Amino acid sequence: MDLRNLPDGLSPADRCDERRRRIERELGTPLEAARADGARIGQAEEKNCEQMFGHVPLPIGLAGPLAVSLSSGERIEAYVPLATTEGALVASVNRGCKALSESRGASVTSIHHGTSRSLAFRVNNTDGVRSFMAFLSEKENEWKAVATATSGHLSILSYAIDASSNHVFLTISCDTGEAMGMNMVTIAAQAIGEWVLNHTKENVEFTTVAGNVDSDKKPSARTREHGRGYAVTASATIPAEVIASVLKSTPEAMVLTAQAKLEHGSKIAGAIGANLHAANVVAAVYLATGQDVAHVVEGSLADTTVEPEGNGIRISVRLPALLVGIRGGGTGLPAQNQCLNVLLQPKTSLPPRAQLAETIAAAVLAGELSLLAAQASHTLASSHKKMAR
């Protein structure tokens, strides 16, 4: 099936249509429902998807207002677009937003660790591993200069050197401006690897630009512990009267459910990340705003804690790795860009990318709070029966 050799002069939408017709003929499967809308695909056919033949509509719901105290000290009321096909999810997050907003909102803090990439080298003389590691440390300023020369938007925030047998890994973590920047960091890492080969005296092979220590799009204890992208913590105190009126539960039931689920259940499972359903909210916001949705893997590493406080509860969620951007990737596609503009508040001193990460964490907190209440009150099954069938 030839989906690349198309007639000259076709528009992006026409190219999609031509491919779709060829696929329909070859596979005998109708694809009219996936037909590309030329007014809505933006530059997806040229920049985002090879051999594009259409697009799949995703339902988008709105949760909010969500009261958030940002790390800058500013307070905002956010509205959160959620792209999902799971009935009851938007309603649940919306309920959590209401509970948070009636409880003085979510307080958020964040640390920017940067986007990381791990170069892997093989040292052919095992005795040379230590001297090669020392070389990387000694030449830090030189290989950093090589990396930053690849882009005017990139700077290196930190690096780590690890060894396993005769393999040495150099992991760089970078600030990439307003973009999530995975491609930017990969290009910089490739330049470092090539420079190292030309300047080291050791017998070394540059094995790969992506050696898995960075755990890109994969769960790892290292990412959970040390963070990647933005590490964000969102927390709130929910009084008993809000738990009763909005969440239809009690502080005691919610604490007991949290202990069973987050402490004991997660421990038995060997979970990397003890949370209720953080990935649900991360994925829905990522899809709506044009993020790289595969990074929901790192987003799922969240840890949620619940404890009694006053006559209510204190609930917190730490997301160690939110990889987000407001430029590049899918953020420039028409619908995704508009949803991004719904979520971002234009009049804050916090950089928009940091604001995006912090708002996502607050939305995750809303989702954790509402689902915990549903499980504590034994209404999870009935809610899905009512709303998701």
Side-chain angles (χ1 to χ4, degrees), residues 7-19:
D8 293 334
L10 297 180
S11 69
D14 289 339
R15 289 195 293 270
C16 288
D17 276 346
E18 178 61 25
R19 293 190 192 100

Side-chain angles (χ1 to χ4, degrees), residues 31-346:
L31 290 168
E32 182 63 29
R35 183 174 183 175
D37 183 341
R40 297 182 179 182
I41 64 173
Q43 295 183 305
E45 196 267 345
E46 300 104 317
K47 292 187 175 182
N48 296 93
C49 181
E50 297 77 32
Q51 301 193 159
M52 181 176 172
F53 67 87
H55 52 188
V56 179
L58 278 173
I60 306 172
L62 188 71
L66 170 59
V68 185
S69 293
L70 300 169
S71 61
S72 61
E74 295 158 300
R75 185 177 173 87
I76 64 170
E77 283 197 340
Y79 288 88
V80 185
L82 302 165
T84 182
T85 56
E86 180 183 348
L89 176 62
V90 177
S92 181
V93 175
N94 199 50
R95 182 174 76 153
C97 291
K98 182 178 181 181
L100 287 171
S101 294
E102 292 189 10
S103 305
R104 302 183 64 184
S107 296
V108 185
T109 61
S110 65
I111 300 171
H112 184 211
H113 293 288
T115 303
S116 58
R117 185 55 100 194
S118 298
L119 299 81
F121 300 93
R122 178 184 174 90
V123 183
N124 293 317
N125 177 6
T126 305
D127 294 336
V129 168
R130 287 191 178 183
S131 60
F132 179 60
M133 294 174 72
F135 164 82
L136 292 175
S137 296
E138 292 165 3
K139 299 297 182 180
E140 169 188 346
N141 291 336
E142 294 176 55
W143 57 253
K144 279 185 175 179
V146 169
T148 55
T150 63
S151 172
H153 302 287
L154 180 141
S155 62
I156 296 180
L157 299 173
S158 63
Y159 72 93
I161 301 172
D162 299 275
S164 176
S165 183
N166 63 332
H167 289 84
V168 174
F169 297 84
L170 172 62
T171 302
I172 59 171
S173 297
C174 304
D175 182 4
T176 52
E178 294 187 329
M180 185 272 286
M182 198 68 254
N183 291 339
M184 194 187 306
V185 178
T186 300
I187 292 168
Q190 182 69 31
I192 291 173
E194 293 169 0
W195 181 90
V196 167
L197 282 188
N198 290 327
H199 290 81
T200 182
K201 295 179 181 179
E202 301 297 332
N203 185 2
V204 171
E205 298 174 17
F206 177 26
T207 307
T208 177
V209 75
N212 264 14
V213 178
D214 52 44
S215 305
D216 184 50
K217 300 175 181 176
K218 291 169 281 292
S220 75
R222 184 171 180 135
T223 296
R224 183 190 182 197
E225 180 180 355
H226 296 291
R228 187 168 188 253
Y230 283 89
V232 190
T233 299
S235 58
T237 299
I238 315 298
E241 51 268 28
V242 174
I243 293 174
S245 63
V246 179
L247 300 175
K248 313 302 181 185
S249 185
T250 66
E252 296 78 14
M254 292 179 72
V255 170
L256 288 174
T257 302
Q259 288 174 343
K261 183 180 182 76
L262 301 175
E263 296 177 25
H264 300 285
S266 294
K267 182 179 179 180
I268 290 171
I272 307 179
N275 62 79
L276 288 102
H277 70 151
N280 244 344
V281 180
V282 173
V285 179
Y286 277 15
L287 284 168
T289 61
Q291 309 302 313
D292 188 337
V293 73
H295 283 125
V296 73
V297 174
E298 289 102 317
S300 73
L301 300 176
D303 286 298
T304 299
T305 58
V306 182
E307 56 189 17
E309 183 162 310
N311 71 342
I313 64 169
R314 180 74 174 174
I315 181 169
S316 297
V317 59
R318 174 183 178 264
L319 293 111
L322 289 175
L323 288 105
V324 296
I326 64 165
R327 295 284 183 273
T331 64
L333 297 176
Q336 288 88 333
N337 188 257
Q338 290 181 356
C339 286
L340 193 59
N341 290 335
V342 166
L343 188 147
L344 292 175
Q345 301 287 318

Side-chain angles (χ1 to χ4, degrees), residues 338-382:
Q338 290 181 356
C339 286
L340 193 59
N341 290 335
V342 166
L343 188 147
L344 292 175
Q345 301 287 318
K347 296 181 181 180
T348 70
S349 61
L350 200 66
R353 187 157 71 119
Q355 185 193 136
L356 174 59
E358 293 190 5
T359 305
I360 291 173
V364 169
L365 183 67
E368 296 288 274
L369 179 62
S370 184
L371 179 55
L372 177 62
Q375 292 191 239
S377 61
H378 296 283
T379 56
L380 176 63
S382 59

